[in-house]
Amino acid sequence: MARLLAVFSVFSIVAVAVLYYAAVDTLNTLSPQGCRMSWMWPSYVLQSRFDHSWTPLARRYSLWLYREGNLENNELHGSPVLFIPGNAGSSHQVRSIASSAANQYFSGLYQVSPEFANKGYTGLDFFAVEYNEDLSAFHGPTIDAQTTYAARAIDYVLSLYPPNTSIIVMGHSMGGIIATALLPHSNISAVITMSSPHTLPPVRFDRRIDHLYAEILRNLETEFTPILSLCGGATDLMIPSESCILPSTLRPNASVYRRTVFTSALEGCWTGVGHLAMVWCHQVRWRIARAALEIAAVRSREARATVLDRWLRDGHTLAPAHVPSEAIQLHSGEYDAVPPNQHLLVRDPVGTRSYLLPLPDPEEALISPKFVLYASKGSVPPVGPHKPLPFRATVYMCTQSDLVDCTPLAPGTLKLIPSPVPGAPFPVPDEGTDESEGVVLYEADVPLGPYSHIAVKVDDGDRRGWVFGGFVDGAPVVEDVGLASVLLSPVQIPVPNGVRTEVQLPRLPANALLVYRATPRYHPESSCSSDAPLLPLLTHTSHPSETHYHPLAPTFPRRILLHTHASGPYIASEHPAGHVLRVHSSGECWVTEIELSVDWWGSIGRWGARYWAAAACWAAGIVALVLWDVWGLVEGGAAVPDVNSSLEFFARRRLPWLVPLSYFISLLPLRVGLWLGNGGSPAFAPLATILLPIAFGLVCVMWWLLLVLLWPLRLILKRFARLREDGAPRRPMTTLLSMGLIFLVIFILVPWQVAFLGCWLIHFYTSAASLADLSVIQSQYPAGTEAVPLVALSANEPTDSPSSPGGPDDGERRLSAARLPLLQQETNAHLHWLLFMTWLLPLVAPVLAVWVRTLATAGFTTPFDGDHNFLYVAPFLVLVEALSGSDASRYVRVLFEKKGRVSPRWGLVALALTAFFLGPRTTYYVFEIASAAIGWAIVARMGLLYMGWRSLSRRS
């Protein structure tokens, strides 16, 4: 292999390794996981009565009822829930959530917990479908079959309950897509999805998956069932979490509940959660279980939405319960007055006491004054930790005369934020947050009018916890920082000292491909000891559904990496730019500024997971362009070059102008489904100039791998096989009948993807045989014998002739010498087509995996619908069959000969354009256009010859 090709090969291998390790490293640096393991006593009851009389798919799938072994018997005792696993998932994944529901509802065997007894609650009966770990993400018909089975499972489950019973549906990963595909359904009360890719299929090799997604969007535009999507964030390496956000089209009006909650913002959780961990992470599973228990007890859609907002809160909306509405009067001696311009700090509150803070003096020039209050481990009704301390804090607006008359002050923000432990990583690995932890954040605009004071009333203090509050300027600090600024050098963002400071960066791109590093700088006289009530906490928000928390104190060991899923490749977003940074602090540890820069390692880790399909499609497009060049050379009268020469020609002549061209194409305002899916953003245009050489390097690596794989087979064929001789003239009718039989088998029995794999295997053998024949002929030349020069393909091919006067051996040697240049070109053509088909193979391999998996788990009797269109593979079957015979060189000649006004090689240009522009988002187009391009070449150049209407025995 030429040195240049070796350089590209090494470059691509190193680049892929860097992308992989950077992506894996995000688990520890970008969004570390802090989840407690869940434990259970699982028992599963097969629903044997849900058999083929309900659905033919009962022979393939099954339905199970979960029971917590130490708390429940096998009898139905509550409201039904259906759990749907995802790609390669199992019905056993229901156990964590179902176990939590049972342990919350029961305090002992058959004993209802006092929290639920006599309050209208019932237990939950968790049913789970078993799909035998089918690979649903790869295959549209598999998703259709699973949806049909789940719909019939719901019918069966509801038949076990009284009429008008509702069922809750939960889905993990692709199971969430199946759950939403079940809608509209009058008996589904709510849908909870976990790590489900709602806006972008994770694998896009099957156009029927895109059709399913489009159908779901159409149905849900007029559907009112509450849907909540839980997303794990950057910790989820199986799907890009920007695809987990419910699209805005699923919120036809404000009354329809459609909510996306990231676990990094989920109150009491505050951690990234891996794809598989989403179903067992304790901080998530018990909240899902609690929400399901309460949803089953209410009847209206509004009440169900309220339950979901209560137990799966991210703080972006106010709590559903109302704040206290009664007014109070404070008499002298019942309150403590806080001096002007000082903060309220109450450590270890005791009993009931009120605190009066005078409103800021107008001379302080607060543009939009806000009152901010923090309550550690207690509650500001109705928000608090799940297991709060007894004390409650309530905020009032007051007027002062002889008495202090106060009315409740409604908050603008009321949520629970984390309280990281100084010196420990956040979140704590394998542990995370306890149900009693957290600080309630209360923010309210200070209204103008007759009021003069803010009153904070603290009830039922027991000498634990603290309350801290004060006034801040509600007007944010707006910094005009763009990507160019942070790329060139770190940007210093000033942070005024205060109880709560907000910095807005409206021009900074908010994209999943970018990670920023934030480095805090401290005032030299600040004290960042653990004695401070609230050490600086950074809240990073870039999307209405996504918030991340980062401790800023120097005692925390991890780097602060800011990332987002507000937008990403191939997803239309309403939030392509803009970040909001809020610093919460009691003031002792003063962060004076935050240094912002691009974190390249974290950013690189985000690229590979989003552009692997683009790399594969662009590699297929590059091979198509290489073949286009070869075809043009041969049509011009040149010989078929070897693959090394073709690749080196591309590297020297095509790649130098394709790389800058890719940059300028990336600047075009294309729709997000085209090219690299960035809509012409200049920030991401350089990615194309990186991806293109990587894709070409992968082509070189694949060529090297093919040579390694061909080498042992070539040696075997060379040692044990005879040189192929020209056989008898082919019988077109026999060939056509054989091909028709193959088409019939594809149409009835096997998927066309299996037939393509067979094509590749046959052509792989043909290529090895050609290499073996070529090696045999080359070995017949004695040392010093002049080789026959390589000539262009022509119609005057040599044919068998009598032995020369020199004897049979000499005649055979001369015949072999005459065949050498033609066999060399035939071999080169075979290897070019082998490389081409090899890069198409990954586009059909996922469905092959589905087929093999289905046969292994469900047996040969299971129907496998949707993949029997033999037209997809027919051109490749004809091409491979024609090139595998003894007359292959003649087919090579007629395929590449110049004839007609428009050459079929332009079909390869159409394929390359499709691979580059459409392939990364709609990958299935690549194989479809490849099949059409090869079909055009077969019909235009080889059709007459293949049908027997053009003589194979034409001689000069």
Side-chain angles (χ1 to χ4, degrees):
M1 184 178 292
R3 181 178 301 177
L4 180 62
L5 302 186
V7 169
F8 276 104
S9 299
V10 173
F11 169 74
S12 67
I13 292 173
V14 172
V16 170
V18 168
L19 289 168
Y20 172 77
Y21 285 110
V24 172
D25 196 44
T26 60
L27 295 175
N28 300 318
T29 58
L30 190 60
S31 183
Q33 178 173 290
C35 284
R36 266 178 287 161
M37 178 60 72
S38 53
W39 305 96
M40 68 289 300
W41 192 327
S43 175
Y44 305 93
V45 182
L46 175 65
Q47 301 301 291
S48 56
R49 289 188 294 172
F50 184 50
D51 53 19
H52 65 276
S53 64
W54 284 88
T55 172
L57 291 167
R59 297 183 176 92
R60 179 176 176 182
Y61 302 135
S62 56
L63 180 68
W64 298 79
L65 171 67
Y66 178 87
R67 279 295 179 252
E68 188 72 1
N70 62 330
L71 296 176
E72 302 171 293
N73 58 24
N74 292 345
E75 300 298 324
L76 301 179
H77 59 70
S79 299
V81 178
L82 180 67
F83 176 83
I84 305 175
N87 179 67
S90 167
S91 60
H92 290 189
Q93 289 176 297
V94 73
R95 61 185 182 267
S96 297
I97 298 173
S99 172
S100 178
N103 279 279
Q104 290 184 63
Y105 185 75
F106 293 105
S107 59
L109 186 62
Y110 312 133
Q111 296 179 357
V112 179
S113 171
E115 189 176 3
F116 296 98
N118 303 319
K119 295 181 181 179
Y121 294 98
T122 63
L124 297 177
D125 299 320
F126 274 86
F127 294 85
V129 290
E130 175 55 66
Y131 289 140
N132 298 319
E133 300 183 6
D134 271 0
L135 303 175
S136 57
F138 301 138
H139 195 226
T142 297
I143 298 180
D144 289 336
Q146 293 183 355
T147 303
T148 301
Y149 185 81
R152 295 300 291 152
I154 290 177
D155 294 339
Y156 167 77
V157 169
L158 293 178
S159 71
L160 306 177
Y161 294 85
N164 300 320
T165 298
S166 295
I167 186 170
I168 303 168
V169 179
M170 299 179 183
H172 174 250
S173 187
M174 293 303 292
I177 304 304
I178 295 172
T180 54
L182 295 171
L183 300 174
H185 196 295
S186 59
N187 293 100
I188 295 179
S189 58
V191 173
I192 300 175
T193 68
M194 296 160 275
S195 300
S196 297
H198 289 286
T199 56
L200 183 69
V203 182
R204 301 176 287 277
F205 296 142
D206 191 339
R207 68 165 51 245
R208 290 157 298 186
I209 295 180
D210 263 349
H211 292 166
L212 174 66
Y213 270 65
E215 183 179 356
I216 291 174
L217 289 178
R218 286 193 300 268
N219 291 339
L220 294 186
E221 286 176 357
T222 57
E223 170 58 28
F224 302 101
T225 302
I227 302 175
L228 184 138
S229 174
L230 278 170
C231 308
T235 316
D236 188 344
L237 298 182
M238 300 293 289
I239 66 166
S241 281
E242 58 268 25
S243 69
C244 183
I245 300 175
L246 290 170
S248 57
T249 54
L250 296 188
R251 299 188 293 273
N253 56 68
S255 64
V256 179
Y257 185 89
R258 302 285 188 266
R259 191 83 77 227
T260 301
V261 177
F262 278 81
T263 56
S264 60
L266 180 62
E267 293 185 358
C269 183
W270 303 307
T271 177
V273 177
H275 193 75
L276 298 178
M278 184 64 79
V279 294
W280 61 255
C281 179
H282 174 72
Q283 285 87 338
V284 176
R285 63 131 185 180
W286 81 259
R287 288 175 169 82
I288 296 175
R290 182 58 182 262
L293 284 166
E294 296 199 10
I295 289 173
V298 297
R299 295 293 176 262
S300 68
R301 285 197 300 266
E302 294 76 11
R304 292 162 183 162
T306 299
V307 170
L308 289 171
D309 266 346
R310 178 183 302 124
W311 292 106
L312 296 167
R313 275 180 47 78
D314 58 6
H316 293 129
T317 58
L318 288 175
H322 296 289
V323 298
S325 59
E326 66 278 2
I328 62 172
Q329 283 188 334
L330 299 177
H331 299 272
S332 178
E334 295 180 346
Y335 61 86
D336 293 332
V338 178
N341 301 321
Q342 291 192 16
H343 299 315
L344 168 67
L345 176 58
V346 181
R347 293 181 183 269
D348 305 325
V350 180
T352 298
R353 192 67 178 172
S354 298
Y355 303 88
L356 213 59
L357 291 84
L359 294 183
D361 193 306
E363 295 182 358
E364 295 183 18
L366 296 181
I367 299 175
S368 176
K370 284 180 177 289
F371 180 72
V372 178
L373 184 76
Y374 302 98
S376 174
K377 297 188 178 182
S379 61
V380 178
V383 174
H386 181 55
K387 298 177 180 178
L389 297 178
F391 82 83
R392 304 180 310 278
T394 312
V395 181
Y396 299 86
M397 285 294 300
C398 304
T399 58
Q400 187 173 15
S401 54
D402 295 336
L403 296 176
V404 179
D405 295 314
C406 303
T407 57
L409 179 60
T413 299
L414 185 60
K415 65 178 182 179
L416 195 67
I417 63 175
S419 179
V421 178
F426 175 79
V428 180
D430 302 323
E431 183 63 28
T433 304
D434 186 78
E435 283 80 2
S436 63
E437 297 179 15
V439 174
V440 180
L441 167 63
Y442 169 101
E443 295 183 11
D445 293 321
V446 177
L448 301 176
Y451 302 105
S452 60
H453 291 77
I454 291 284
V456 177
K457 184 181 180 183
V458 181
D459 295 292
D460 301 330
D462 66 346
R463 298 185 181 277
R464 290 183 294 170
W466 51 260
V467 177
F468 177 80
F471 296 97
V472 300
D473 192 345
V477 177
V478 180
E479 292 289 332
D480 187 23
V481 175
L483 182 60
S485 302
V486 296
L487 282 175
L488 296 175
S489 63
V491 174
Q492 313 298 327
I493 300 175
V495 180
N497 194 18
V499 174
R500 196 273 292 155
T501 302
E502 179 175 321
V503 178
Q504 294 183 358
L505 308 171
R507 291 184 51 242
L508 193 64
N511 194 286
L513 298 175
L514 286 171
V515 176
Y516 304 99
R517 180 182 298 185
T519 305
R521 307 297 183 192
Y522 308 95
H523 193 277
E525 297 181 1
S526 63
S527 174
C528 298
S529 67
S530 58
D531 294 334
L534 182 62
L535 290 172
L537 179 71
L538 176 65
T539 301
H540 170 226
T541 302
S542 55
H543 186 276
S545 298
E546 185 177 16
T547 294
H548 301 273
Y549 297 95
H550 305 275
L552 293 180
T555 54
F556 290 96
R558 288 197 178 112
R559 293 178 299 163
I560 300 172
L561 301 180
L562 309 181
H563 66 283
T564 178
H565 300 92
S567 63
Y570 314 114
I571 296 178
S573 173
E574 300 174 354
H575 309 277
H579 296 258
V580 178
L581 307 179
R582 296 183 181 91
V583 179
H584 306 275
S585 173
S586 56
E588 295 87 350
C589 186
W590 179 10
V591 176
T592 58
E593 63 183 16
I594 294 177
E595 183 181 277
L596 198 64
S597 61
V598 173
D599 187 85
W600 289 108
W601 184 248
S603 298
I604 291 172
R606 311 277 276 170
W607 299 347
R610 288 157 178 82
Y611 283 134
W612 59 269
C617 290
W618 282 24
I622 288 172
V623 175
L625 291 178
V626 169
L627 266 177
W628 180 77
D629 278 330
V630 171
W631 204 321
L633 288 172
V634 179
E635 283 186 348
V640 180
D642 59 78
V643 177
N644 277 352
S645 300
S646 300
L647 292 177
E648 188 162 358
F649 177 85
F650 184 89
R652 295 185 183 278
R653 298 290 185 89
R654 300 286 183 245
L655 203 58
W657 63 265
L658 281 177
V659 170
L661 178 63
S662 68
Y663 177 82
F664 290 109
I665 292 176
S666 299
L667 297 176
L668 299 177
L670 305 173
R671 63 181 179 88
V672 294
L674 296 176
W675 196 245
L676 294 183
N678 293 312
S681 173
F684 307 110
L687 290 177
T689 65
I690 300 173
L691 183 60
L692 191 59
I694 291 176
F696 178 72
L698 291 175
V699 172
C700 297
V701 171
M702 184 63 73
W703 169 235
W704 178 79
L705 289 176
L706 285 174
L707 290 179
V708 172
L709 294 174
L710 287 167
W711 177 73
L713 182 58
R714 177 180 65 86
L715 292 182
I716 294 174
L717 293 175
K718 179 181 178 181
R719 182 176 182 83
F720 296 104
R722 294 178 58 193
L723 184 66
R724 290 181 300 168
E725 302 288 346
D726 290 341
R730 65 188 301 117
R731 297 180 178 178
M733 185 57 65
T734 302
T735 302
L736 293 177
L737 288 176
S738 301
M739 195 63 65
L741 180 61
I742 294 174
F743 291 163
L744 183 63
V745 171
I746 297 173
F747 185 75
I748 296 176
L749 185 60
V750 302
W752 63 262
Q753 293 89 348
V754 175
F756 182 79
L757 176 61
C759 287
W760 185 88
L761 292 173
I762 292 172
H763 194 66
F764 182 84
Y765 176 86
T766 300
S767 300
S770 294
L771 287 171
D773 290 351
L774 185 63
S775 179
V776 169
I777 294 178
Q778 290 175 336
S779 65
Q780 292 176 353
Y781 288 101
T785 302
E786 182 181 354
V788 178
L790 199 63
V791 296
L793 291 170
S794 68
N796 300 322
E797 297 182 32
T799 56
D800 292 342
S801 60
S803 299
S804 64
D809 292 340
D810 186 59
E812 290 178 4
R813 185 177 296 109
R814 291 179 179 272
L815 178 61
S816 297
R819 291 184 57 188
L820 178 60
L822 295 175
L823 184 57
Q824 177 72 67
Q825 295 184 81
E826 176 188 332
T827 303
N828 291 341
H830 285 161
L831 294 175
H832 277 92
W833 287 117
L834 179 63
L835 181 62
F836 177 72
M837 294 175 63
T838 300
W839 275 106
L840 294 179
L841 194 60
L843 307 184
V844 302
V847 177
L848 286 173
V850 173
W851 191 67
V852 172
R853 179 68 187 174
T854 302
L855 293 181
T857 58
F860 288 89
T861 60
T862 300
F864 198 77
D865 299 328
D867 294 287
H868 299 286
N869 187 351
F870 59 83
L871 295 179
Y872 278 113
V873 75
F876 295 99
L877 287 169
V878 174
L879 178 67
V880 167
E881 194 277 333
L883 296 181
S884 62
S886 59
D887 49 2
S889 60
R890 197 179 294 272
Y891 278 104
V892 171
R893 175 184 58 79
V894 299
L895 183 62
F896 287 141
E897 71 181 353
K898 187 174 184 179
K899 185 182 72 172
R901 303 181 62 180
V902 180
S903 172
R905 77 187 184 102
W906 289 102
L908 296 173
V909 175
L911 170 59
L913 292 174
T914 300
F916 283 111
F917 284 90
L918 295 175
R921 168 58 183 87
T922 49
T923 312
Y924 47 83
Y925 277 130
V926 177
F927 191 92
E928 293 174 2
I929 300 301
S931 180
I934 300 305
W936 179 15
I938 294 295
V939 172
R941 294 291 174 84
M942 295 173 52
L944 295 178
L945 190 60
Y946 193 79
M947 298 289 291
W949 297 340
R950 179 175 174 180
S951 175
L952 279 175
S953 59
R954 184 176 59 186
R955 301 174 186 267
S956 57

